[in-house]
Structure formats: structure tokens, C-alpha cells
């Protein structure tokens, strides 16, 4: 998944913000504003399970939204992305708990062989390519620490492999 200022690229799609618009190549995909907001909220938190309550609060605010309305909205997003309940390529459902954005990068056969989403983040000194597993690991450890579980993480590797860039992108993800 690529991120540029105000734009998220994943698979063949591009999601622009302010105003929200979804594109597949040069074709704009028509979605209702709330559906676009749901997609944007989830896409900005790749790999993170977003509870139904959090989604309601962040997208609809104080308005009452039923589980049915939320499911219909997610179904609209899935239909626009060519996703389905059976083939959850972009949005994963955690029954009774919430939703997770799981878009994968389809740039190579090696990436397709992995079960973990690949992440490509742009900005700063250079891209972070093929670090989906590492990003997911950092996000999961952060969630555990946020729940009060003690965590210490050591990041090691040869000079120039992108350790600092990975940590900077992780921090951007948390504040994003």
C-alpha cells in the first residue's frame, strides 16, 4: 500500500481525501460519502482491528447507527472494491468485533505467496518496501503495550537496510 499526502494507493485503487474519492485507474468509483469515510478510516489503519463502536464514533459521530446500517455500508465498500465476504482481499470481518483493512501489494509473485499484507510507504528519505510483516509486528506489539502488557522490542540489522525509516513510518502510522 502506498501513501502520499492525502492519497492512499492499494492494489489498482487510489483513495483521495478531502473530498473523499475512490479511483480504479482513471475511473472514479461512485460511493456514498459515509462509505468513503468508512473505507478511509479503515485504510489509514492497515492491519489494525477497528471495533464497530470505534467506526460508528469516528464516521457517524453521535448519530445512532445500527449494526445493519454498518454492515450495509461495509458491503457497499466491498462491492466497490470487488471484494466479498468469502474473498476478503481488502476488508476482513472479525465477527462481532469489527473490521480490518488487509489490502495486499500485488507487485510480485513473492508478495502473493505471503499471507501477511505487504506495505509500501512513501515519504521522507525513501520508500519502505516489503516490510508488511515488520509493520504488522510493531502494530501488534503496540496494541499489547496499549493494553498494559509490558513489551521491549529490539530492531536490528545491517546498516542501511531501513531500520530508522521503518520506525519513522510506524510512528507516522500511529499518529496518522
Amino acid at each position: 500500500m502506498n501513501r502520499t499526502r492525502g492519497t492512499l494507493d492499494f492494489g489498482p485503487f487510489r483513495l483521495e481525501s478531502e473530498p473523499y474519492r475512490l479511483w480504479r485507474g482513471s475511473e472514479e468509483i461512485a460511493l456514498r460519502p459515509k462509505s468513503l469515510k468508512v473505507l478511509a478510516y479503515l485504510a489509514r489503519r492497515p492491519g489494525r482491528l477497528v471495533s464497530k463502536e470505534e467506526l460508528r464514533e469516528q464516521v457517524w459521530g453521535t448519530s445512532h447507527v445500527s449494526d445493519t446500517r454498518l454492515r450495509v455500508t461495509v458491503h457497499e465498500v466491498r462491492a466497490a472494491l470487488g471484494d466479498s465476504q468469502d474473498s476478503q482481499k481488502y476488508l476482513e470481518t472479525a465477527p462481532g468485533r469489527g473490521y480490518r483493512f488487509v489490502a495486499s501489494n500485488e507487485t510480485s509473485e513473492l508478495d502473493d505467496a505471503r499471507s501477511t499484507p505487504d506495505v509500501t510507504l512513501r515519504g521522507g528519505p525513501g520508500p519502505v518496501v516489503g516490510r508488511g510483516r515488520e509493520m504488522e509486528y510493531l502494530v501488534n506489539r503496540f496494541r499489547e503495550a496499549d493494553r498494559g502488557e509490558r513489551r521491549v522490542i529490539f530492531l536490528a540489522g545491517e546498516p542501511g537496510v531501513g531500520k530508522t525509516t521503518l520506525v519513522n513510518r510506524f510512528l507516522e502510522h500511529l499518529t496518522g
Side-chain angles (χ1 to χ4, degrees), residues 17-48:
S17 61
E18 308 304 326
Y20 291 111
R21 294 170 30 176
L22 180 64
W23 299 85
R24 182 181 184 120
S26 61
E27 175 189 351
E28 184 173 4
I29 298 173
L31 271 176
R32 294 183 303 157
K34 294 294 186 194
S35 298
L36 285 166
K37 280 188 166 186
V38 165
L39 174 58
Y41 192 78
L42 292 169
R44 286 195 172 86
R45 290 150 185 82
R48 179 178 158 226

Side-chain angles (χ1 to χ4, degrees), residues 29-84:
I29 298 173
L31 271 176
R32 294 183 303 157
K34 294 294 186 194
S35 298
L36 285 166
K37 280 188 166 186
V38 165
L39 174 58
Y41 192 78
L42 292 169
R44 286 195 172 86
R45 290 150 185 82
R48 179 178 158 226
L49 179 64
V50 176
S51 71
K52 294 188 288 185
E53 293 77 23
E54 179 181 348
L55 207 47
R56 284 186 188 107
E57 181 181 308
Q58 295 299 319
V59 174
W60 282 274
T62 58
S63 300
H64 173 73
V65 177
S66 67
D67 277 353
T68 302
R69 179 75 235 142
L70 184 56
R71 276 193 308 272
V72 166
T73 301
V74 169
H75 178 75
E76 289 174 0
V77 172
R78 279 196 172 117
L81 299 175
D83 220 351
S84 70

Side-chain angles (χ1 to χ4, degrees), residues 70-104:
L70 184 56
R71 276 193 308 272
V72 166
T73 301
V74 169
H75 178 75
E76 289 174 0
V77 172
R78 279 196 172 117
L81 299 175
D83 220 351
S84 70
Q85 184 67 27
D86 297 328
S87 170
Q88 298 180 11
K89 185 175 180 181
Y90 298 103
L91 296 182
E92 177 182 87
T93 300
R97 296 176 31 212
Y99 302 95
R100 180 180 290 122
F101 187 78
V102 292
S104 63

Side-chain angles (χ1 to χ4, degrees), residues 123-162:
V128 179
V129 179
R131 296 294 187 188
R133 290 179 184 177
E134 292 83 353
M135 282 294 288
E136 182 178 3
Y137 181 83
L138 290 174
V139 168
N140 289 335
R141 297 304 75 79
F142 176 80
R143 282 191 210 129
E144 292 168 354
D146 195 40
R147 290 191 305 256
E149 298 176 36
R150 294 180 186 186
R151 293 288 173 248
V152 175
I153 297 173
F154 294 96
L155 188 60
E158 296 296 319
V161 296

